[in-house]
């Protein structure tokens, strides 16, 4: 098998290839498959949500445009004199109850529940003064009166906000997660995690609060939060102190006292000015069966068994070649990039991104490490899927030795729940890759 591990480029959305021409509003900031994999949602920094539908006429896993709507608008908080960006931070699909689709989207302050459905437009075709083609004289008797008739004119895709959940977070919302019961969800900012009922927009319950009475005593912040995929009482939240806390809502109303804590702190012998920054967990996900946790910090991926708090099952180096460039990365703020990590639908593979539009797929039980590059310039210059770099070298060798473009980065991705297909957000473009 070649260096691509069987992965191949399937399709791409987004026209502009030159990063200099891309506007800030066009940059994709969220990607999410629904539970069936038949629909794919993206959100961007301009507050727009774009939905794609699987093309059922194709044998391969390909998608076509479904609809687009403006989810959030820029706002201004007059009490705090702060601008609230329209950027979509997260998108999460909700369970379907009928033919309509429901999804949550959030910017820094406001979460919205959207209903997306097909709507039939009808027009009146026949009246007492018009037969559909020409005007008619007024009826001369009651027997000539006719009931108006309508006919289907067109079918459109409509998107309406069913609920707006606002004014519950003092700090920027960075995580939302729908519970397995499909009735509740959590939202998280730097210091608090709130529990919501999907049907109640004006009330939430604070279930985690790490805000100290004196803010000068603050030593860590929450970086992500997620519900367990199968047990509706369990959730986890991660922190900038390289810890993952597992909490049980059955134990107490306020879950600041965790049930389990997974922590692999930096080695004191190798600590530096950057140690705390690069050990901060930017994202963590439960495996599909809920038995493992995947966590991403700046340089590594760590795989934990929920039954073992002592040490991670495995530590995977993602950015080891950047250890000597931390000063430069600190100066250009790239060291604060928030990398996502995702599980394959079968729980046997994981994926995370890197710079220069590279992304990597790892086997959880083996040593296979596949490096791919989601970049239109690559697709134009070589046959898609071959994975060859300059001079015939592998992409892994090129990534570790060549100068990297730090403006191109794969921060957001989503894995099809049932197939080996991934959606990769690369600046303003969406790439779809599938494994043979």
């Amino acid at each position: 098998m070649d260096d691509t591990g069987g992965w191949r480029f399937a399709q791409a959305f987004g026209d502009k290839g030159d990063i200099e021409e891309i506007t800030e509003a066009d940059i994709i900031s969220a990607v999410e498959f629904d539970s069936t994999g038949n629909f794919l949602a993206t959100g961007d920094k301009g507050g727009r949500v774009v939905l794609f539908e699987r093309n059922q006429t194709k044998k391969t896993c390909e998608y076509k445009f479904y609809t687009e709507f403006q989810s959030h608008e820029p706002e201004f908080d007059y009490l705090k004199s702060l601008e609230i960006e329209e950027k979509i931070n997260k998108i999460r699909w909700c369970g379907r109850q009928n033919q309509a689709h429901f999804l949550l989207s959030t910017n820094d302050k406001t979460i919205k529940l959207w209903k997306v459905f097909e709507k039939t437009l009808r027009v009146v075709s026949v009246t007492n003064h018009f037969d559909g083609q020409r005007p008619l004289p007024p009826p001369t008797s009651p027997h000539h009166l006719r009931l108006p008739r309508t006919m289907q004119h067109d079918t459109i895709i409509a998107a309406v906000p069913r609920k707006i959940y606002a004014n519950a977070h003092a700090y920027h919302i960075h995580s939302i997660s729908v519970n397995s019961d499909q009735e509740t969800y959590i939202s998280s900012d730097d210091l608090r995690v709130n529990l919501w009922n999907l049907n109640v927009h004006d009330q939430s319950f604070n279930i985690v609060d790490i805000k100290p009475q004196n803010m000068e005593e603050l030593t860590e912040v929450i970086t992500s939060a997620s519900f367990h995929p199968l047990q509706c009482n369990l959730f986890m939240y991660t922190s900038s102190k390289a810890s993952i806390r597992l909490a049980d809502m059955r134990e107490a109303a306020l879950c600041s006292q965790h049930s389990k804590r997974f922590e692999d702190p930096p080695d004191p012998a190798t600590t530096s000015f950057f140690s705390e920054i690069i050990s901060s967990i930017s994202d963590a996900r439960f495996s599909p069966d809920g038995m493992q946790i995947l966590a991403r910090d700046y340089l590594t991926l760590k795989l934990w068994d929920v039954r073992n708090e002592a040490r991670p099952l495995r530590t995977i180096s993602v950015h080891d070649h950047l250890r000597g460039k931390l000063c430069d990365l600190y100066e250009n703020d790239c060291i604060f990039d928030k990398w996502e990590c995702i599980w394959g639908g079968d729980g046997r593979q994981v994926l995370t991104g890197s710079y220069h539009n590279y992304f990597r797929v790892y086997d959880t039980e083996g040593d296979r490490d596949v490096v791919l590059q989601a970049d239109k310039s690559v697709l134009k210059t070589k046959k898609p899927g071959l994975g060859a770099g300059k001079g015939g070298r592998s992409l892994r060798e090129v990534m570790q030795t060549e100068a990297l473009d730090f403006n191109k980065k794969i921060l957001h991705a989503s894995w099809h729940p049932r197939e080996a297909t991934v959606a990769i957000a690369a600046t303003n473009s969406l790439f779809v890759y599938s494994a043979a």
Side-chain angles (χ1 to χ4, degrees):
M1 186 177 290
D2 58 28
D3 283 344
T4 65
W7 289 91
R8 62 177 183 81
F9 165 76
Q11 62 183 141
F13 299 92
D15 297 327
K16 296 178 182 176
D18 188 354
I19 197 167
E20 304 285 337
E21 302 174 5
I22 299 170
T23 63
E24 186 78 7
D26 292 331
I27 296 176
I28 298 174
S29 55
V31 183
E32 188 76 6
F33 278 106
D34 76 338
S35 61
T36 66
N38 292 330
F39 289 87
L40 174 63
T42 67
D44 62 27
K45 290 189 175 182
R48 298 178 294 262
V49 171
V50 181
L51 302 186
F52 299 90
E53 180 184 18
R54 184 164 184 169
N55 190 347
Q56 300 294 349
T57 63
K58 302 285 186 178
K59 292 183 179 179
T60 57
C61 194
E62 293 186 15
Y63 290 82
K64 58 185 179 181
F65 174 81
Y66 185 63
T67 190
E68 175 183 343
F69 57 91
Q70 188 72 30
S71 176
H72 287 73
E73 301 280 357
E75 301 175 38
F76 190 80
D77 187 335
Y78 290 96
L79 291 177
K80 297 182 179 179
S81 296
L82 290 175
E83 291 186 6
I84 302 173
E85 295 182 353
E86 64 271 34
K87 172 193 170 189
I88 305 298
N89 292 338
K90 282 289 187 293
I91 293 175
R92 292 290 182 263
W93 292 85
C94 302
R96 294 184 68 175
Q97 302 169 347
N98 46 44
Q99 293 301 311
H101 304 276
F102 293 88
L103 54 91
L104 290 169
S105 63
T106 184
N107 66 351
D108 287 340
K109 294 292 183 181
T110 305
I111 306 164
K112 296 184 179 181
L113 175 65
W114 288 92
K115 178 183 179 181
V116 181
F117 59 100
E118 293 187 4
K119 183 178 181 180
T120 301
L121 299 180
R122 295 184 177 275
V123 295
V124 177
S125 61
V126 177
T127 69
N128 288 294
H129 302 287
F130 189 73
D131 68 354
Q133 296 181 346
R134 62 185 184 279
L136 298 175
T140 56
S141 72
H143 298 291
H144 295 154
L145 290 174
R146 296 181 298 179
L147 291 174
R149 293 205 310 268
T150 63
M151 62 179 293
Q152 181 174 330
H153 177 66
D154 199 3
T155 300
I156 63 170
I157 308 298
V160 295
R162 293 303 303 269
K163 303 286 182 185
I164 297 177
Y165 314 89
N167 305 318
H169 286 276
Y171 304 94
H172 291 174
I173 301 169
H174 53 62
S175 301
I176 51 176
S177 178
V178 181
N179 202 347
S180 58
D181 62 13
Q182 294 296 324
E183 294 181 2
T184 56
Y185 74 92
I186 54 175
S187 59
S188 174
D189 62 27
D190 287 348
L191 299 179
R192 292 189 175 97
V193 178
N194 290 338
L195 175 69
W196 300 82
N197 187 299
L198 281 165
N199 295 316
V200 181
H201 72 280
D202 57 354
Q203 185 180 31
S204 65
F205 298 94
N206 179 224
I207 55 175
V208 174
D209 188 347
I210 66 169
K211 182 178 180 181
Q213 291 185 343
N214 182 359
M215 285 295 284
E216 294 181 356
E217 300 174 358
L218 182 67
T219 59
E220 64 179 337
V221 294
I222 299 170
T223 55
S224 72
S226 178
F227 264 120
H228 191 280
L230 303 175
Q231 299 183 45
C232 61
N233 55 290
L234 296 178
F235 70 97
M236 69 172 169
Y237 60 99
T238 64
S239 85
S240 58
K241 285 286 190 181
S243 70
I244 306 169
R245 295 174 174 89
L246 187 65
D248 190 338
M249 292 189 294
R250 296 173 300 184
E251 293 182 354
L254 190 64
C255 301
S256 298
Q257 297 297 321
H258 50 272
S259 300
K260 290 188 175 184
R261 178 170 179 152
F262 309 89
E263 190 170 13
D264 186 27
D267 184 354
T270 60
T271 55
S272 67
F273 171 78
F274 305 108
S275 295
E276 186 170 330
I277 301 174
I278 62 176
S279 64
S280 173
I281 297 175
S282 58
D283 190 28
R285 308 284 182 103
F286 282 105
S287 60
D289 61 4
M291 298 305 295
Q292 295 179 332
I293 295 173
L294 179 69
R296 172 72 201 265
D297 58 35
Y298 192 75
L299 297 179
T300 67
L301 275 172
K302 289 177 180 171
L303 192 63
W304 294 86
D305 188 322
V306 296
R307 297 161 294 190
N308 182 9
E309 303 170 65
R311 63 184 64 85
L313 287 173
R314 187 179 175 194
T315 298
I316 302 170
S317 175
V318 179
H319 281 162
D320 206 47
H321 56 288
L322 297 180
R323 286 188 181 274
K325 301 179 181 180
L326 294 180
C327 286
D328 295 335
L329 293 164
Y330 180 78
E331 290 180 1
N332 63 19
D333 286 341
C334 285
I335 200 169
F336 301 105
D337 285 334
K338 305 301 182 185
W339 304 96
E340 292 183 359
C341 57
I342 56 174
W343 286 89
D346 59 4
R348 296 178 181 177
Q349 292 179 301
V350 296
L351 180 150
T352 194
S354 184
Y355 292 109
H356 214 83
N357 284 352
Y358 291 115
F359 64 97
R360 307 177 76 161
V361 181
Y362 303 90
D363 285 357
T364 58
E365 299 176 354
D367 295 326
R368 182 184 297 175
D369 167 16
V370 176
V371 179
L372 297 165
Q373 188 177 18
D375 195 303
K376 288 193 172 181
S377 62
V378 175
L379 302 178
K380 292 176 182 176
T381 57
K382 72 179 183 66
K383 190 175 179 181
L386 289 183
K390 296 180 181 179
R393 291 179 296 163
S394 69
L395 284 179
R396 186 181 298 102
E397 293 172 322
V398 173
M399 181 181 69
Q400 294 174 352
T401 58
E402 296 287 328
L404 300 177
D405 186 344
F406 294 112
N407 291 317
K408 294 182 177 181
K409 58 192 80 172
I410 305 298
L411 297 175
H412 313 288
S414 185
W415 198 302
H416 192 290
R418 299 175 183 173
E419 301 176 14
T421 297
V422 295
I424 306 293
T427 320
N428 73 318
S429 299
L430 180 69
F431 292 83
V432 178
Y433 282 78
S434 294

